[in-house]
Amino acid sequence: VAAAMALSVTVDDVLELFGEFFLQYTIDKGYDNLLRCQGSTLRLWLSNLNALHDHLQSSLPAGNFPVFWCENCEVFDGAIILHYYSVRGALLGGVVVGIVKEVAKTYFDVEVQMDKLAVQGENGSECTTWRITAKDPTKRHKLTMETISDDGSFVTATISRRRARRGTLKHGNRSNSQESTTSSLSA
């Protein structure tokens, strides 16, 4: 609060800046390789945060780590919905925003917009939720692995294990992306 007052900005702005700093601090302390391999898209990276926190819990048993989960946004193509739950409530939501924006920029070369949809503890919400979109729509595939095909249609890229060894992608239609993913993984 004191920093926000001294800088004439909001507390959330200070927390967001701290989140950006925290990611860079973690990288500078030698954790870049660990963070870099968290996922090949922002959604996968965020989805793997709980596993990282579980690992940290074994070293820091008194820690109270937050829980994250993601889903594709049904309203905006290429956007993701991030849910965040913490025993601290929404207090550190600004830190989450700073970390997510910095992760997107550092590891996926994409600037993101985070629109807050719900706040933990307000109006019965059990978690804080954001819609994350790429500021540059041509980079939205870096969020979810969805991309634009040659004919302009929106598709979900899935990698079959056999084809992954050869370095090729298999594309499925958005309507049967679940089916495409299942068949790709069993190939």
Side-chain angles (χ1 to χ4, degrees):
V1 175
M5 290 174 52
L7 297 171
S8 299
V9 297
T10 67
V11 172
D12 273 346
D13 289 339
V14 171
L15 292 173
E16 185 175 331
L17 287 170
F18 177 77
E20 292 173 13
F21 164 80
F22 182 74
L23 181 74
Q24 290 305 318
Y25 174 82
T26 306
I27 290 168
D28 292 345
K29 291 299 177 185
Y31 294 98
D32 185 44
N33 287 339
L34 175 69
L35 295 172
R36 189 172 300 281
C37 69
Q38 284 294 107
S40 59
T41 65
L42 183 60
R43 179 179 176 185
L44 290 172
W45 197 98
L46 292 168
S47 295
N48 286 323
L49 269 179
N50 295 329
L52 177 63
H53 288 153
D54 287 346
H55 179 72
L56 289 172
Q57 187 78 50
S58 65
S59 299
L60 304 166
N64 283 318
F65 295 95
V67 177
F68 295 88
W69 65 100
C70 293
E71 57 188 301
N72 286 342
C73 179
E74 299 296 326
V75 178
F76 295 95
D77 285 338
I80 56 178
I81 302 294
L82 173 64
H83 304 279
Y84 160 77
Y85 171 81
S86 172
V87 296
R88 295 170 191 86
L91 176 66
L92 299 178
V95 175
V96 172
V97 171
I99 290 172
V100 170
K101 286 181 175 181
E102 194 65 20
V103 164
K105 194 174 5 175
T106 301
Y107 293 118
F108 302 104
D109 187 34
V110 60
E111 287 192 46
V112 296
Q113 172 72 36
M114 294 182 68
D115 299 310
K116 194 180 292 182
L117 305 177
V119 177
Q120 184 177 336
E122 292 182 10
N123 300 319
S125 292
E126 295 181 15
C127 61
T128 301
T129 303
W130 295 270
R131 178 181 48 242
I132 304 172
T133 54
K135 288 185 178 180
D136 178 352
T138 64
K139 293 188 174 189
R140 66 184 180 195
H141 65 281
K142 295 182 177 193
L143 303 182
T144 64
M145 284 281 292
E146 294 179 325
T147 188
I148 303 294
S149 68
D150 293 337
D151 68 359
S153 61
F154 197 67
V155 295
T156 300
T158 58
I159 303 172
S160 73
R161 290 180 184 164
R162 203 173 297 142
R163 291 182 181 188
R165 288 187 215 116
R166 294 190 301 242
T168 60
L169 285 176
K170 178 180 178 183
H171 294 279
N173 292 334
R174 186 164 172 72
S175 61
N176 69 351
S177 61
Q178 185 74 16
E179 183 179 294
S180 174
T181 302
T182 305
S183 64
S184 295
L185 292 176
S186 62

